[in-house]
Amino acid sequence: MRFAVSLLTILAISSIIGTVLKQNEPYANYKIEFGEFWFQVFHPLGLFDVYHSAWFLLILSFLVLSTSLCIWRQMPGIWKDIRGYRENASNNSLRLMSHNIELNNELPTEDVIDTLADRGYRSRIREENGQVLIAAKKGSFQRLGYVFAHAAIVVICIGGLLDGNVPLKLTELFGFKTPETRDLPQSKVPPQSRLPEDNLSFRGNVTLPEGSVGDVIFLNAGQGYFVQDLPFAVRLNKFYIEHYSTGQPKLFASDIDLLDKKTGTVLKRAKVEVNKPLIYKGVAVYQASFGDGGSLLKMQRWNLNNHSAQAFDVRSQSSQSMQINGQAYQLEMGDFRPFNIENMGKVANNAMAVSKFAQAMASAQAVQSEHNLKNIGPSIQFKLRDKNGQATEYLNYFAPFFENGAGYAVTGMRTEVAAPFQFIRIPLDKDMEPATFMRLRASLLDKSLYPEIARRTAAKAFQSGGITKEGEAQFKDVTIGVLTRFSEGGFPAIESFLDQKVPKEQRQTVAQTYIKILQGTVIDAMDVAQGKAGLPVLPIDEAQYRFLMDSLVAVSSLYEYGPPVWLQASSFDEVKASGFQITRAPGQNIVYLGSLLLVIGIFSMFYIRENRVWVRLAAGKTLIAMSSNRKNSDLDREFTELTTDLAAKGKTP
C-alpha cells in the first residue's frame, strides 16, 4: 500500500509538471528557454514529454497490474460481507458492542421488522433454541466504495496507457520506427518515420492557408519528428477572426471540409471554433491557432552604404527566401502579422541610440509611459543572413506610429533569438514617406557637401552675432570636424572622440557645443539636400524642427542596425492561415469513466454509513445492539431513536 501511494504521488507530481511545462516541443525550444545546463538535467528525466516517457508508462502498467490483483483478492470478501447479515452473532458478542441495551419487554417480531424497515434496514430472521435473532443492515454497499476507488485507478491508468501509445513506444524500442531528423518534404519522409492511419493514438498540429488541403500532421519526437497519415484530408475553406476595439482577437473560427483521400468527396463539413471541435470517427479537429498563409509583400529597399536617397522595390512572400543587395544577403521572410498590440512606451525607450548625446537629443521625444498599449497595425518579421551564415533579425511595421502629430516608421532588430528587439523610429515627412529623411541622411554622410553646409551654418552664425568675421573660418573647420565625426558612427563616435581628445573637466562644455553645432548644421544639411534634389527649401517651423532633431537620432541609431539595408514595409496582400490540432485519444473517454468511478468510490466511502442492528428476542427480554463503520454522534442519536421506537412497541410479560 505504501509503495502504491508513493507511485501515485510520483504520477501526481509528474502530471503537474506536464501541465505547467509545455510538452512535446522541439528540443531547440527548450534549449532556448532553459539553457543548455538545465536542458541536460531535464532531458534524461523525460520532463519534455512526461505522458509518453518510458518510466511514466511503466508506472501506469505496474499500477494496473497491482491494483487489479488487489481488487481480485479483496472482492470475494467484500461481496460476502455485503451479502451477509451476520445472523450468527452470540449474546456475548452483542453485549460487548459499545451500543447495546436490554429491555424487559417482549417485542413482537413483526413490529421489530416493520420498525427497522421504516428506518431503511433490510433484515433477516434466525430462530434457535426458542429465541429469535433479527439481523438487519443498511448502507452495506458502502464497501463497494473501496472497489470503485481502486477500479478507478485501473481504468484511469489504462486510459493513460492508450493515449501514451504504448505500441508506438515498443516499435521505437525494437527499431521498427525511428524519428526523422532531416528537414524533408513530408512526401520524402521514409516509411520508418511515417505512422499509419490506424495508429492507436496521436496528437499533432497542421497549419493550412485558405483553400489548401492537408492529409498529414507532424508529431514531435525528441530531436526529430514522425509524419502521421490522417484517415481523411482537411480542407480550409474560410478563416474568420473578430477583434476587440484594442485589436486583441475576440473570436476565430474556420470553415473546413473533411475529404475522402481516395475519391475527394466531402465526408463532413463543419465550422470549427475554439473549444468546439469537429469529431469524426474518433478523430477530433480542434481550432488551435491562426497565422499567416504566405501573404504577398511589397517592400522598399534603402541602401544605407551609399549617399543615394533612392529606394528599390522588393516583392516577396512571407515564409520565403531570396537574395538581395547584389546577392550579398539572403532575405528570409518570416510570418506576416495583420495586427500587433505593443507597449509603445517600451518600444520608444528601447532605442539603439544609447550614447549620452542621443539621450539628450531624444529626451524631449521619448515616450515615458510604460503602459502605452496600442494596436500599431501589420508587421513582418524577417532575417538578413550574410555569406558567413550570420543572421540579423528584423521586425518592421507597415503603418506609421504617431506621436504628438509626428509620424514614424518603426523598425526593430536583434542579433540573438532570445534577445528583445531594439527599435528605431525613423521620422516621416508630411506625405508619411521616409524620402525626406533619406535625403537628409545622405547629405549628412556625404563629405563633399560639408564645406557648403559649414559655409551656410557659419554665415548664419555671423549674421546672428554668434561669431566674428575673423572666427568664421575656424567655425567652419569645427563644423566640418563635427560632421566628419558624426559620419563615422553617429553620437557614439563623437563621444569616443571627446573621451580621447578632450580633458575630462572640459568634456561637458565641449559636448554641449557640439550638440548646438549639430542642431544648427542639420537645418543647412536639409536645405542642401533639397537643393541637390531640385526641391524647394522646407520652411522651419516647430514640426519641421522636431523632424530634424528626430532625424539626427535616427541617423545615429542606424549605425547599430546591422547589415546596411533598410527594408521599408510598404504594402501587402494578406493570405490567412488556420492552425489545427488533430488528435486521436481513445483513452479520453476511459479516463472520464475512471474519474466518475473515483467520484462514486470516494462518495461511497466517506458519505455512506454502514449500520448493522441485531435484536435478540427471548421470553420477556429483548437485547438490542448496533454497530457502524463510523462511530459518531449520528450513531448515538440513531441508536437512541431506534431503541425508543422499539421499546414503545413492547409489552410487559
Side-chain angles (χ1 to χ4, degrees), residues 421-538:
F421 280 100
Q422 300 295 309
F423 289 91
I424 295 176
R425 300 191 304 172
I426 295 178
L428 303 176
D429 56 26
K430 294 180 180 180
D431 297 326
M432 292 297 107
E433 296 291 340
T436 303
F437 166 77
M438 286 300 179
R439 287 196 297 271
L440 173 60
R441 179 179 181 275
S443 68
L444 287 172
L445 302 183
D446 189 351
K447 295 182 180 180
S448 65
L449 300 179
Y450 291 175
E452 175 61 20
I453 296 173
R455 184 191 64 79
R456 297 188 181 203
T457 304
K460 290 181 180 179
F462 173 72
Q463 291 176 1
S464 63
I467 60 174
T468 62
K469 190 65 175 178
E470 292 77 13
E472 187 172 353
Q474 183 181 2
F475 186 81
K476 290 180 184 178
D477 293 338
V478 174
T479 301
I480 292 175
V482 172
L483 289 173
T484 301
R485 301 291 177 268
F486 186 77
S487 68
E488 293 172 352
F491 293 116
I494 296 178
E495 186 174 350
S496 176
F497 171 77
L498 294 180
D499 289 342
Q500 295 176 10
K501 302 295 184 181
V502 179
K504 184 176 182 180
E505 61 275 7
Q506 299 179 11
R507 286 176 193 168
Q508 184 65 28
T509 302
V510 176
Q512 292 177 355
T513 302
Y514 277 21
I515 288 177
K516 291 180 180 179
I517 291 175
L518 276 174
Q519 289 174 337
T521 302
V522 71
I523 299 174
D524 297 306
M526 186 76 261
D527 293 344
V528 170
Q530 290 293 100
K532 184 178 178 181
L535 298 173
V537 173
L538 297 173

Side-chain angles (χ1 to χ4, degrees), residues 95-378:
R95 289 190 176 97
L96 290 174
M97 292 183 184
S98 59
H99 291 74
N100 73 88
I101 189 172
E102 290 192 53
L103 303 177
N104 294 320
N105 292 345
E106 182 180 347
L107 302 180
T109 302
E110 294 79 6
D111 289 347
V112 173
I113 293 175
D114 291 342
T115 301
L116 291 173
D118 291 341
R119 290 185 167 273
Y121 287 89
R122 292 179 291 116
S123 58
R124 181 173 293 181
I125 301 175
R126 180 173 177 269
E127 296 184 9
E128 185 179 27
N129 299 326
Q131 296 183 352
V132 177
L133 178 64
I134 302 173
K137 64 178 181 178
K138 69 176 180 180
S140 57
F141 282 96
Q142 182 267 348
R143 299 297 303 275
L144 288 179
Y146 172 91
V147 178
F148 284 134
H150 285 69
I153 296 175
V154 174
V155 172
I156 291 173
C157 290
I158 290 175
L161 288 171
L162 290 175
D163 284 353
N165 208 341
V166 175
L168 175 59
K169 290 298 179 182
L170 293 176
T171 57
E172 286 188 76
L173 179 63
F174 293 108
F176 297 111
K177 292 292 182 181
T178 57
E180 179 59 63
T181 57
R182 296 169 294 175
D183 187 10
L184 298 176
Q186 66 89 8
S187 59
K188 302 291 185 182
V189 174
Q192 64 265 25
S193 299
R194 301 187 73 96
L195 304 180
E197 296 177 2
D198 59 355
N199 185 23
L200 178 64
S201 171
F202 56 79
R203 180 184 300 271
N205 298 286
V206 62
T207 300
L208 298 176
E210 288 180 329
S212 64
V213 178
D215 60 359
V216 299
I217 57 176
F218 292 88
L219 310 181
N220 291 323
Q223 300 284 7
Y225 61 89
F226 287 108
V227 175
Q228 171 67 59
D229 290 308
L230 298 176
F232 47 74
V234 182
R235 178 172 63 198
L236 174 62
N237 297 318
K238 186 70 176 177
F239 177 73
Y240 307 91
I241 185 168
E242 298 178 8
H243 301 89
Y244 293 104
S245 58
T246 60
Q248 294 280 16
K250 177 172 64 175
L251 169 70
F252 51 96
S254 302
D255 285 338
I256 64 171
D257 291 337
L258 300 187
L259 308 176
D260 186 281
K261 295 174 69 172
K262 295 181 179 179
T263 64
T265 57
V266 177
L267 302 174
K268 197 165 185 178
R269 179 169 292 168
K271 184 176 184 179
V272 179
E273 300 180 25
V274 177
N275 296 326
K276 295 181 180 179
L278 167 62
I279 301 177
Y280 181 77
K281 292 185 177 181
V283 179
V285 181
Y286 292 88
Q287 177 70 67
S289 62
F290 59 90
D292 178 60
S295 299
L296 302 177
L297 306 169
K298 180 181 178 182
M299 309 180 79
Q300 298 290 316
R301 176 173 62 85
W302 298 88
N303 192 340
L304 304 180
N305 246 354
N306 58 33
H307 304 151
S308 171
Q310 183 179 2
F312 301 91
D313 288 341
V314 175
R315 297 183 182 273
S316 183
Q317 187 176 5
S318 59
S319 302
Q320 300 293 320
S321 299
M322 61 183 295
Q323 298 294 129
I324 66 166
N325 230 40
Q327 309 299 312
Y329 295 96
Q330 174 85 1
L331 172 61
E332 301 173 0
M333 304 299 294
D335 286 341
F336 167 79
R337 296 183 61 183
F339 58 91
N340 291 271
I341 308 300
E342 298 287 355
N343 186 340
M344 293 311 297
K346 292 186 177 181
V347 167
N349 290 326
N350 276 347
M352 290 182 199
V354 295
S355 71
K356 292 183 288 185
F357 291 95
Q359 292 172 3
M361 296 294 295
S363 60
Q365 289 79 28
V367 179
Q368 300 301 322
S369 173
E370 288 293 321
H371 302 284
N372 187 15
L373 296 177
K374 290 184 179 180
N375 176 16
I376 56 177

